[in-house]
Amino acid sequence: MIKAIFFDFDGVIYDSNEIKKNAFAELYKKYDKKIINDISIHHLHNGGMSRYEKIKFYHSKFLKIKITKNDLNILCNKFSRILKKKIYHAKFIKGFNKFINSNKLNFKCFVVSATPTNELIKICKKKGIEKIFEKILGSPTSKKDNILYLIKKYNYKKKEVVYIGDALNDYYAAIESKINFIGFGKIFNNSKYNKDHNVLDYSKLIGLINKLWNLI
């Protein structure tokens, strides 16, 4: 039986992937359009990566530059400043509020995201949802390490938790942590990954959880 749900944030709770795509485009605006387009496409297909990992990857892959730790910190801070102007304008993913209000007494809810923890907490407070969650965790700690930390801290068995994510990095974090996973959204819809454990939106989520685990 599932006792706890670990939610990814961007694309699962908060509709912020497009805003972050535009923030990366602004961060790299001095480069040519092809590079910006490649960065935008990569971002949208790799929602589970932290901005630290993405910026290192973009410099190595698209700019052919090995970035120093100092320059990485400068760019991450600049990205945070760009994002701060826009992030609070995002909306919740359709169906999230209804799902939470209907099921918050049945499950303990947590956030496990690649977004920095301090930013996650600020957004949740601003949007009035921080009290819904037992714990809100993000980078720089990896998703796998945060998942294992929560399981240990709250004394869960691995079969008692499920991670809900919208990116392949979320799927791999769940696999490496040896916990249940539900793929959420378009990337997993009709995908070969995690077959029969995917939902397009919140309308079918509780039904799938019950079907797979809560009726056993």
Side-chain angles (χ1 to χ4, degrees), residues 46-60:
N46 293 274
M49 287 177 70
S50 72
R51 67 194 58 173
Y52 308 98
E53 293 172 309
K54 285 182 177 179
I55 290 171
K56 283 194 292 185
F57 179 79
Y58 298 156
H59 271 64
S60 174

Side-chain angles (χ1 to χ4, degrees), residues 125-143:
K125 285 183 176 179
K126 182 78 172 179
K127 292 294 185 177
I129 61 170
E130 80 279 7
K131 292 182 180 179
I132 290 172
F133 304 107
E134 294 291 317
K135 201 79 173 174
I136 298 169
L137 297 177
S139 60
T141 305
S142 72
K143 290 186 176 184

Side-chain angles (χ1 to χ4, degrees), residues 90-164:
K91 298 180 179 180
F92 293 117
I93 295 293
K94 184 179 179 181
F96 168 73
N97 283 321
K98 182 178 179 180
F99 177 86
I100 284 293
N101 289 331
S102 299
N103 296 286
K104 61 186 177 183
L105 298 179
N106 300 322
F107 307 99
K108 296 294 185 182
C109 297
F110 301 82
V111 173
V112 178
S113 172
T115 298
T117 298
N118 61 334
E119 287 186 19
L120 285 170
I121 293 171
K122 286 179 182 178
I123 294 169
C124 289
K125 285 183 176 179
K126 182 78 172 179
K127 292 294 185 177
I129 61 170
E130 80 279 7
K131 292 182 180 179
I132 290 172
F133 304 107
E134 294 291 317
K135 201 79 173 174
I136 298 169
L137 297 177
S139 60
T141 305
S142 72
K143 290 186 176 184
K144 176 186 175 182
D145 287 346
N146 278 332
I147 287 169
L148 295 176
Y149 165 78
L150 291 173
I151 289 171
K152 183 176 180 180
K153 178 178 174 61
Y154 292 90
N155 198 30
Y156 290 123
K157 296 177 182 177
K158 291 187 176 183
K159 65 181 180 180
E160 293 175 337
V161 303
V162 58
Y163 187 32
I164 299 172

Side-chain angles (χ1 to χ4, degrees), residues 174-195:
I175 293 298
E176 291 171 5
S177 304
K178 299 180 180 179
I179 64 169
N180 303 303
F181 179 77
I182 290 179
F184 185 92
K186 293 180 181 179
I187 288 177
F188 287 100
N189 191 38
N190 297 322
S191 170
K192 66 178 181 180
Y193 294 96
N194 210 49
K195 192 175 180 181

